[in-house]
């Protein structure tokens, strides 16, 4: 059986499972559609939360970024993991105790204002749509690899599956499907990592293999990788400089951290359990499930770039036998070339492949003079393909390659479904029922939610074809928007009883608008290509701040604006202040 057929069978079986679960758990009421009837077991919810949170950016893109950024790529690990801890400790139990369906509903009630609720909906839509662009790109990449078709066709295929799966089931179907997706995802991520770690270092656990010596040698893997990268004109893999500045690494880490804690599609998962203490248990279990993948990712990234470089340069660099002949190009390279995400050009027409840092002028001049190289010949190498291609690069069995493909799709689908639900509930429950059509029937509210979800799929699918960056970078922008708008407002809503509606509205608007303007300046208006006002390079960034990290500054603007306006306007009503105090004293036996 050829690889494509095997992959199609494995992925097709997982689709049948997802759609079967969605039909079995089809939502019949708004409570089931929005919060799964509040009857999900804490361990099951922890697993679903992990799947919801670990998106295509975590599964497909994060290790690819670490592979090419090295040490500084660790900002993504620290930010996302630290943010989840913030959410679990500071937000989840208190928001569950409040007992609402959505994050905008909490903000609207806490700040006794429909305007605050509408601004929260706008913030949620800006963040969620940006986030789902990254997921749709991940779905498209995975599908294009399996079907061996261009990215656009792969993306449209993925949109069709997401439409059936998310529109039908609502939160109830999504929850049980995400549990299945987590199991598939974690096996798909760790099994290849174990095989590759055993092959390279003889260690079963990739986390240990990353710090071990190469099989049969006294040289540590990271030492050998450092030397190889230097020999090809790059900075050392473990160097603390070169990938991004320390300022941008700090800001990106903070934006990811507080943005993670403000993600509405993850927060609403804690509304699905029966009691407040179950929300705490869910948070703990989710952290365990997430930790399995996140402690494996650095090893996957390092081993992926090691295998890639050694495939292209199997011998001594600069010698004829040290470079892969184009006629011996492995099959996985040809498959990825068909997607347009990998491309080669034999610039010096020697019939052999060279991959090096031709932006390093000193090294490029030396390579041209001594080796006859005329530029790096991997002219397109999308970082998002590294995890999916890694088993093929390492020569692992076909069933492992098929499993990774299924895992990548599961990761993208699980988060896309959660985001789409957050978008649809914001429109149908918060805008229509909460503001514009309070007497809408439950049936029509469900219909509106499903129509909103379908519209979001089409919009995100279009932008997924023309994304403003790699999947993890797009997701980082979404986290920046959440950091600048929702997280400060949620924190002040829980921990500052004097914070009033005027302050909350001003803070959200200032944080959201400043962050959006900064991002659109460099990424294009609403991410449409060709509309950027300045080049997205360090010399044009304001004070050298990368747009992906600006959300941390937007959060500071939010806090400052809210505090100033609060001081200039009247205090919240007494019953609201008493409500805030009651929310901050969680009673684990309270079933609300």
């Amino acid at each position: 059986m050829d690889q494509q057929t095997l992959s199609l069978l494995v992925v097709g079986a997982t689709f049948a499972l997802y759609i079967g679960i969605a039909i079995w758990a089809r939502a019949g009421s708004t409570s089931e559609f929005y919060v799964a009837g509040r009857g999900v077991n804490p361990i099951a919810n922890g697993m679903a939360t992990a799947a919801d949170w670990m998106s295509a950016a975590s599964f497909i893109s994060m290790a690819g970024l670490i592979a090419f950024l090295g040490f500084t790529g660790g900002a993504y690990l620290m930010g996302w993991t630290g943010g989840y801890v913030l959410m679990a400790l500071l937000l989840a139990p208190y928001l569950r105790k409040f007992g609402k369906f959505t994050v905008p509903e909490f903000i609207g009630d806490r700040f006794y204002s429909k305007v605050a609720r509408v601004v929260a909906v706008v913030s949620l839509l800006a963040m969620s749509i940006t986030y789902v662009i990254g997921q749709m790109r991940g779905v498209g990449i995975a599908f294009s690899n399996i079907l061996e078709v261009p990215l656009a066709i792969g993306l449209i295929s993925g949109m069709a599956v997401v439409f059936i799966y998310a529109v039908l089931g609502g939160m109830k179907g999504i929850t049980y499907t995400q549990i299945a997706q987590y199991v598939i995802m974690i096996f798909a991520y760790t099994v290849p990592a174990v095989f590759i770690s055993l092959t390279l270092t003889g260690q079963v656990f990739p986390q240990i293999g990353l710090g071990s010596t190469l099989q049969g040698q006294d040289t540590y893997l990271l030492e050998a990788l450092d030397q190889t990268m230097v020999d090809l004109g790059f900075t050392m893999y473990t160097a603390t400089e070169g990938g991004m500045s320390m300022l941008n690494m700090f800001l990106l880490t903070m934006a990811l951290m507080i943005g993670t804690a403000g993600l509405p599609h993850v927060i609403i998962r804690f509304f699905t359990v029966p009691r407040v203490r179950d929300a705490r248990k869910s948070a703990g279990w989710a952290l365990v499930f997430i930790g399995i993948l996140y402690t494996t990712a650095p090893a996957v990234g390092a081993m992926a770039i090691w295998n890639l470089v050694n495939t292209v340069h199997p011998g001594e660099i600069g010698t004829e036998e040290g470079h892969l002949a184009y006629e011996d190009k492995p099959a996985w390279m040809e498959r990825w070339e068909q997607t347009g995400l990998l491309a080669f050009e034999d610039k010096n027409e020697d019939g052999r492949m060279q991959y090096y840092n031709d932006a390093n002028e000193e090294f490029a001049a030396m390579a041209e003079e001594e080796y006859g190289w005329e530029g790096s010949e991997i002219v397109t190498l999308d970082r998002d393909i590294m995890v999916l291609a890694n088993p093929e690069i390492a020569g692992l069995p076909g069933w492992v390659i098929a499993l990774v493909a299924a895992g990548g799709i599961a990761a993208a689908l699980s988060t896309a479904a959660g985001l789409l639900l957050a978008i649809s509930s914001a429109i149908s429950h918060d805008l229509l029922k909460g503001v514009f059509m309070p007497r809408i029937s439950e049936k029509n509210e469900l219909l509106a939610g499903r129509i909103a979800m379908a519209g979001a799929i089409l919009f995100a699918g279009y932008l997924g074809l023309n994304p403003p960056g790699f999947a993890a970078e797009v997701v980082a922008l979404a986290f920046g928007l959440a950091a600048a708008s929702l997280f400060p407002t949620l924190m002040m809503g829980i921990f500052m009883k004097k914070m009033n509606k005027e302050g909350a509205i001003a803070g959200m608007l200032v944080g959201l608008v400043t962050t959006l303007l900064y991002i659109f300046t460099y990424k294009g208006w609403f991410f449409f290509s060709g509309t950027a006002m300045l080049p997205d390079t360090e010399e044009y960034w304001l004070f050298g701040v990368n747009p992906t990290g600006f959300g941390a500054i937007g959060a500071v603007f939010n806090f400052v604006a809210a505090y100033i306006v609060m001081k200039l306007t009247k205090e919240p009503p007494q019953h609201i202040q008493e409500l805030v105090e009651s929310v901050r004293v969680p009673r684990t036996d309270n079933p609300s």
Side-chain angles (χ1 to χ4, degrees):
M1 184 181 297
D2 61 58
Q3 184 58 54
Q4 185 182 20
T5 304
L6 181 59
S7 297
L8 286 173
L9 285 176
V10 172
V11 173
T14 63
F15 285 172
L17 176 65
Y18 303 154
I19 293 173
I21 291 174
I23 294 171
W24 167 70
R26 180 184 170 87
S29 66
T30 51
S31 175
E32 289 181 345
F33 190 81
Y34 294 135
V35 291
R38 298 194 195 282
V40 181
N41 178 276
I43 299 177
N45 194 49
M47 203 174 285
T49 303
D52 203 345
W53 187 67
M54 291 191 299
S55 62
S58 295
F59 188 96
I60 295 175
S61 193
M62 182 173 64
L65 277 175
I66 294 173
F68 288 92
L69 291 176
F71 172 82
T72 52
Y76 289 88
L77 278 175
M78 293 185 290
W80 281 331
T81 312
Y84 184 79
V85 175
L86 277 182
M87 178 194 289
L89 293 178
L90 299 180
L91 296 180
Y94 306 113
L95 292 176
R96 173 61 188 88
K97 188 178 181 185
F98 209 87
K100 298 299 178 183
F101 279 177
T102 67
V103 169
E105 190 176 15
F106 164 79
I107 291 175
D109 287 5
R110 161 60 184 87
F111 294 107
Y112 49 98
S113 167
K114 287 187 177 180
V115 175
R117 188 172 181 174
V118 171
V119 175
V121 168
V122 172
S123 302
L124 183 149
L125 292 177
M127 188 287 298
S128 298
I129 290 174
T130 306
Y131 198 164
V132 85
I133 292 170
Q135 305 315 304
M136 297 310 295
R137 178 171 169 78
V139 170
I141 290 172
F143 269 85
S144 62
N145 177 40
I146 294 171
L147 301 176
E148 298 184 16
V149 295
L151 181 62
I153 296 176
L155 183 55
I156 292 170
S157 305
M159 288 167 61
V161 174
V162 172
F163 179 83
I164 297 171
Y165 152 77
V167 171
L168 186 64
M171 178 59 93
K172 188 178 176 184
I174 287 171
T175 297
Y176 293 108
T177 308
Q178 284 174 335
I179 294 169
Q181 288 168 334
Y182 175 78
V183 174
I184 293 167
M185 191 191 317
I186 206 65
F187 270 97
Y189 204 82
T190 54
V191 168
V194 167
F195 272 108
I196 295 169
S197 179
L198 277 170
T199 303
L200 291 181
T201 68
Q203 296 289 344
V204 173
F205 297 105
Q207 296 90 338
I208 298 175
L210 180 63
S212 302
T213 56
L214 289 167
Q215 188 86 286
Q217 300 181 31
D218 295 329
T219 307
Y220 285 93
L221 169 63
L222 289 176
E223 284 182 351
L225 185 53
D226 277 344
Q227 187 59 54
T228 300
M229 299 310 286
V230 170
D231 290 344
L232 293 172
F234 298 97
T235 56
M236 288 197 301
Y237 185 79
T238 58
T240 55
E241 70 279 353
M244 68 178 80
S245 69
M246 197 54 71
L247 170 67
N248 280 317
M249 188 172 178
F250 171 76
L251 290 175
L252 176 60
T253 303
M254 292 303 298
L256 294 176
M257 190 175 291
I258 59 180
T260 297
L263 291 178
H265 74 287
V266 179
I267 289 174
I268 59 175
R269 289 236 51 90
F270 297 104
F271 300 164
T272 65
V273 293
R275 295 165 295 188
V276 174
R277 65 182 176 187
D278 293 329
R280 293 178 185 276
K281 288 180 183 177
S282 292
W285 278 110
L287 194 57
V288 171
F289 295 132
I290 289 168
I292 296 172
L293 188 144
Y294 268 61
T295 56
T296 308
V300 172
M303 293 174 186
I305 192 68
W306 171 264
N307 281 327
L308 173 69
V309 169
N310 281 278
T311 299
V312 177
H313 298 286
E316 184 180 349
I317 293 170
T319 63
E320 182 176 340
E321 62 276 10
H323 312 288
L324 180 68
Y326 277 98
E327 61 185 18
D328 296 330
K329 197 167 50 174
W332 67 265
M333 288 186 176
E334 295 180 0
R335 277 200 296 276
W336 281 106
E337 281 184 279
Q338 293 176 23
T339 68
L341 300 173
L342 179 66
F344 305 92
E345 180 184 352
D346 189 3
K347 293 180 179 177
N348 59 356
E349 299 181 348
D350 66 347
R352 291 186 176 272
M353 197 179 296
Q354 291 100 39
Y355 171 61
Y356 64 102
N357 183 14
D358 53 8
N360 181 339
E361 294 180 1
E362 183 179 352
F363 182 86
M366 182 279 295
E368 182 175 3
E369 181 179 345
E370 295 191 15
Y371 305 149
W373 296 354
E374 297 181 7
S376 182
E377 297 183 353
I378 300 183
V379 292
T380 301
L381 176 55
D382 193 302
R383 297 170 183 176
D384 288 344
I385 74 172
M386 291 303 291
V387 167
L388 296 176
N390 200 22
E392 299 173 90
I393 299 173
L396 296 184
W399 66 269
V400 178
I401 297 168
L403 184 63
V404 171
I409 292 175
L413 289 179
S414 61
T415 303
L419 288 164
L420 291 168
L421 185 71
I423 292 170
S424 72
S425 61
I427 293 173
S428 61
H429 187 69
D430 292 305
L431 283 186
L432 291 183
K433 187 176 180 62
V435 179
F436 299 113
M437 300 173 65
R439 294 183 180 177
I440 188 173
S441 67
E442 185 168 310
K443 182 180 178 181
N444 286 336
E445 187 184 345
L446 269 176
L447 178 62
R450 287 179 166 132
I451 292 172
M453 197 178 279
I457 292 171
L458 292 173
F459 186 65
Y462 173 76
L463 289 176
L465 283 174
N466 303 286
F470 300 109
E473 290 176 327
V474 177
V475 169
L477 295 174
F479 279 54
L481 293 173
S485 57
L486 295 178
F487 175 77
T489 309
L490 292 173
M491 287 293 291
M492 291 184 289
I494 294 171
F495 296 102
M496 291 179 67
K497 67 178 184 179
K498 299 287 186 183
M499 180 53 65
N500 57 20
K501 63 181 180 183
E502 291 84 0
I505 293 169
M508 280 191 288
L509 288 174
V510 168
L512 180 66
V513 171
T514 54
T515 305
L516 275 177
L517 285 176
Y518 194 79
I519 290 173
F520 287 161
T521 298
Y522 298 99
K523 300 291 184 182
W525 290 96
F526 302 98
F527 303 121
F528 286 103
S529 59
T531 60
M533 293 184 289
L534 290 172
D536 188 18
T537 54
E538 189 165 1
E539 60 266 34
Y540 289 96
W541 295 338
L542 187 63
F543 301 116
V545 175
N546 190 319
T548 55
F550 191 82
I553 297 174
V556 174
F557 288 164
N558 184 327
F559 276 119
V560 172
Y563 186 80
I564 292 172
V565 173
M566 178 193 73
K567 286 296 184 183
L568 298 175
T569 49
K570 64 180 182 182
E571 290 187 352
Q574 188 60 35
H575 74 277
I576 292 293
Q577 298 188 42
E578 292 172 356
L579 174 67
V580 174
E581 287 193 340
S582 70
V583 168
R584 282 161 44 194
V585 183
R587 293 172 55 192
T588 55
D589 57 344
N590 188 342
S592 62

